Amino acid sequence: MVTKTTKGIKISVITAFQNEYSDPINTEFVFAYKINIVNHTEHTIKLIKRKWYIYDAQGIEREVEGDGVVGEQPVIPPSDHYEYVSGCHLSTEIGKMKGYYVMEDIHSGQTFKVDIPQFILTADLKLN
């Protein structure tokens, strides 16, 4: 697990290779990641947007951005958390992701960025 706290918002990430959905012969590797967002501030926040930078082992970079996460724009009160699972396809057995969320402080209406720590995606077959 990797963890990073930005402006009182703690982001933790756990990854898992999805062997049953992957096809190594056709260079298709599927990974799942679980993100836990904990609000350690005194104000309720709302996750407005996300931006991902995705890299494969060949150095190819993709950028993915959009509103919310998994079809939601969660509101997280102080001392509470929000967790979700999503996935990523790569054409190599190893890659990495990093990015950021744009959060809104519901009290003030101000938006701010929260870093998503870089994490490694590794197919189980590469670990043998």
Side-chain angles (χ1 to χ4, degrees):
M1 174 179 354
V2 296
T3 301
K4 184 170 188 176
T5 301
T6 307
K7 297 183 181 176
I9 310 302
K10 180 180 175 183
I11 308 295
S12 301
V13 185
I14 298 173
T15 64
F17 176 60
Q18 303 295 294
N19 188 53
E20 62 274 17
Y21 300 110
S22 297
D23 184 1
I25 292 181
N26 290 309
T27 63
E28 295 176 12
F29 302 91
V30 180
F31 301 88
Y33 54 89
K34 183 190 298 186
I35 306 256
N36 187 23
I37 303 167
V38 182
N39 181 0
H40 289 295
T41 72
E42 297 178 2
H43 299 283
T44 299
I45 58 168
K46 181 177 182 178
L47 194 159
I48 304 295
K49 296 180 182 182
R50 74 189 180 295
K51 182 159 187 176
W52 288 108
Y53 301 95
I54 305 167
Y55 306 87
D56 70 17
Q58 297 173 349
I60 296 172
E61 177 186 340
R62 290 183 292 159
E63 293 183 14
V64 176
E65 59 186 312
D67 293 336
V69 291
V70 294
E72 299 181 0
Q73 289 185 318
V75 173
I76 310 168
S79 301
D80 204 352
H81 78 280
Y82 175 80
E83 189 170 84
Y84 72 96
V85 176
S86 192
C88 175
H89 292 77
L90 294 178
S91 59
T92 60
E93 303 98 331
I94 300 172
K96 62 184 177 181
M97 292 176 65
K98 65 180 180 178
Y100 63 85
Y101 298 118
V102 175
M103 301 285 192
E104 177 184 4
D105 179 323
I106 297 296
H107 176 73
S108 69
Q110 293 183 334
T111 60
F112 58 99
K113 286 185 180 179
V114 173
D115 293 330
I116 304 167
Q118 180 174 286
F119 54 93
I120 304 298
L121 305 165
T122 304
D124 293 345
L125 53 101
K126 287 303 277 188
L127 298 176
N128 293 328

